[in-house]
Structures are given as structure tokens and as C-alpha cells.
Amino acid sequence: MDRDHNGRSETTTRQERALLRSLARLMVIVVVLGVVALAGAIYGPALMDELEEVEAVDDVDIVDQPSPSSDPPPAGERDPEVTDPDDPDETTVETDVETVATDDVEDFVHAEVNDRRADHDIAELEWDGTVASVSRAHSHDMAERDYFDHINPDSEGPFDRFEHVDDYCRAYGENIAQTWVDRPVDSPEGVDTQTYETAEGLAEGLVDQWMNSTDHRDAILENHDGPEWDRGGVGVYIDDDGAVYASHNFCTER
């Protein structure tokens, strides 16, 4: 048997060399696996982020924008001889669909209320610019002083407001509402949400709010023992944040 100069057999030497080659191959495999694991750690989160973004998009309800408002039927006189000194006049807000102007909203509300009255064989209300001016001033006051009520912080109600403006009505009624433009709000039916982006849509929403409330509906349809309304006026104010305050006053002329 041949031996090397260290006294080891040739067979033993070949076995050791084979073992070293096997160890070398194993180390190469380990290094490759390590690179794959490292690559997984680098690219995995990016792939997960992409999947999360896709899932997030799938969760978003895509809603078609409404059509711009049609031309509102003109309610009536906008410049009466008698007005409330606190009447803020027209306010507007921009949406992705149109410029929502409160004059248009008021015209649409007046027409919609008369349509609802006609459905119940009740005579149309005549538009009264003075009544509208008092209504508009009250809507503005609610926005400015941050309250929502028929009675203002000075303990004044509709009777006081009309008495201050030429002692105008001998009988009155008032509906008020508050909502938002260009942000999701509960629908009047309370079963889903909707976003008002047009004057026409906002007006329909306001009237729907009133018609879905017994007391407000009774005022519109005159389910009461008092005098019949012969005129009315709508006053809407929209603040810089898109908050909408609306007052609809009914009146029996003196």
C-alpha cells in the first residue's frame, strides 16, 4: 500500500479530497439559498403592497357623477320692497359638477314643494320675496351662531322675525333643515348615503328630508287646524365649509 510522506495511505487521501469537494458543493448550495432568501426579504413587501393597493381599489364604490342641474323654474320676485336687514343674499359653492347657487336651490325647493302639494290636491304656494328674505336671514344666523333651531339664542322665534320685518304675516309656519354639499351624508330614508353636487339634487334632498318627517310633512301639506297658507319663501345659506342651512317659511298674509 502506497503512503505519502506524512504516512497516510493514498486511499485515505482520496477519501479526504472527496469529502472536501462535497463540503465545497454544500457551501455553494447554502450561499445560493441565502441569496434567494435575501431576495425574498427585499421583494416580498413590495409585492404585498401592490396586492393591498389592488384590494383597496376593489373596495371603493365608483359612483357616476350626476348630470348638471336643469334650468330651475323661476320662483318669483328676488328684490322685494321689504327685506330682512340680515339677509345675506346669494351664496355659492363649487363642486366637480357645477357651481351650486342658493338662488337656484331655493327655486327648485319652491317648485318641488308645490309639486308635492299638487300630488295631494293642495293649491300652489305663491312665492313671496319678503318671506324668503326672512327665511334666508334665519338660515344665515343659524350658520353664523352655530345652532339649529326655530328659536334663536336671543329666544326669538318665527313670529318675532316676521314682526321685526314690517309685521308681515298673521299666521306662519316654518320648516328648517341642515345638510352638506359635496360630502357623503345619510340619505333622507336613512338606508344609505349620498352626496349633493348640484342645486337640483340638493333641493330634492331637502324636500325629501321634510317629507320623511311627520311634523315637517304636515306643515307642507297643511295638516293643521290653523289658517291655510297662501304664500311661502325659501331661504338657503351655504357656508365656506359646505354646510347647508335651509328655512322654508309659510305665511298667511295679513
Side-chain angles (χ1 to χ4, degrees), residues 37 55 108 115 161 174:
E55 291 172 357
F108 279 121
D115 286 345
R161 292 192 281 277
E174 180 178 81

Side-chain angles (χ1 to χ4, degrees), residues 79-127:
D79 188 23
E81 291 183 5
V82 179
T83 60
D84 192 309
D86 296 321
D87 183 344
D89 294 324
E90 184 182 56
T91 50
T92 61
V93 63
E94 296 288 340
T95 73
D96 290 338
V97 179
E98 68 182 29
T99 299
V100 177
T102 51
D103 281 4
D104 292 342
V105 179
E106 293 165 2
D107 286 347
F108 279 121
V109 169
H110 180 74
E112 184 72 16
V113 165
N114 276 334
D115 286 345
R116 304 298 178 96
R117 287 168 65 89
D119 290 341
H120 292 80
D121 297 321
I122 303 173
E124 288 189 356
L125 292 171
E126 180 184 344
W127 173 269

Side-chain angles (χ1 to χ4, degrees), residues 60-247:
V60 173
D61 293 330
I62 300 175
V63 180
D64 292 335
Q65 288 184 334
S67 299
S69 299
S70 56
D71 292 332
E77 185 180 21
R78 284 282 169 187
D79 188 23
E81 291 183 5
V82 179
T83 60
D84 192 309
D86 296 321
D87 183 344
D89 294 324
E90 184 182 56
T91 50
T92 61
V93 63
E94 296 288 340
T95 73
D96 290 338
V97 179
E98 68 182 29
T99 299
V100 177
T102 51
D103 281 4
D104 292 342
V105 179
E106 293 165 2
D107 286 347
F108 279 121
V109 169
H110 180 74
E112 184 72 16
V113 165
N114 276 334
D115 286 345
R116 304 298 178 96
R117 287 168 65 89
D119 290 341
H120 292 80
D121 297 321
I122 303 173
E124 288 189 356
L125 292 171
E126 180 184 344
W127 173 269
D128 190 298
T130 298
V131 175
S133 179
V134 174
S135 299
R136 201 174 300 114
H138 181 54
S139 296
H140 177 247
D141 188 55
M142 287 191 291
E144 288 295 293
R145 294 203 278 177
D146 193 24
Y147 71 96
F148 180 65
D149 204 321
H150 299 285
I151 309 299
N152 68 23
D154 301 322
S155 300
E156 295 174 334
F159 176 81
D160 302 296
R161 292 192 281 277
F162 281 109
E163 190 174 41
H164 294 164
V165 182
D166 204 33
D167 197 19
Y168 198 69
C169 292
R170 67 182 177 87
Y172 64 86
E174 180 178 81
N175 283 343
I176 59 176
Q178 198 276 315
T179 189
W180 298 85
V181 170
D182 216 20
R183 69 174 68 182
V185 295
D186 290 336
S187 68
E189 294 79 13
V191 296
D192 53 13
T193 62
Q194 59 191 63
T195 302
Y196 301 124
E197 298 180 89
T198 67
E200 191 168 8
L202 174 58
E204 291 175 358
L206 291 170
V207 177
D208 284 343
Q209 278 191 48
W210 288 327
M211 293 297 289
N212 279 281
S213 166
T214 300
D215 291 342
H216 298 85
R217 177 186 173 93
D218 286 347
I220 290 173
L221 301 181
E222 298 189 34
N223 292 327
H224 57 75
D225 297 327
E228 295 180 356
W229 315 131
D230 56 23
R231 61 196 57 247
V234 184
V236 178
Y237 180 80
I238 305 177
D239 72 12
D240 293 338
D241 295 325
V244 178
Y245 291 82
S247 301

Side-chain angles (χ1 to χ4, degrees), residues 45-67:
L47 178 61
M48 290 173 60
D49 286 345
E50 290 172 3
L51 292 174
E52 288 171 359
E53 287 174 5
V54 170
E55 291 172 357
V57 169
D58 289 342
D59 289 340
V60 173
D61 293 330
I62 300 175
V63 180
D64 292 335
Q65 288 184 334
S67 299

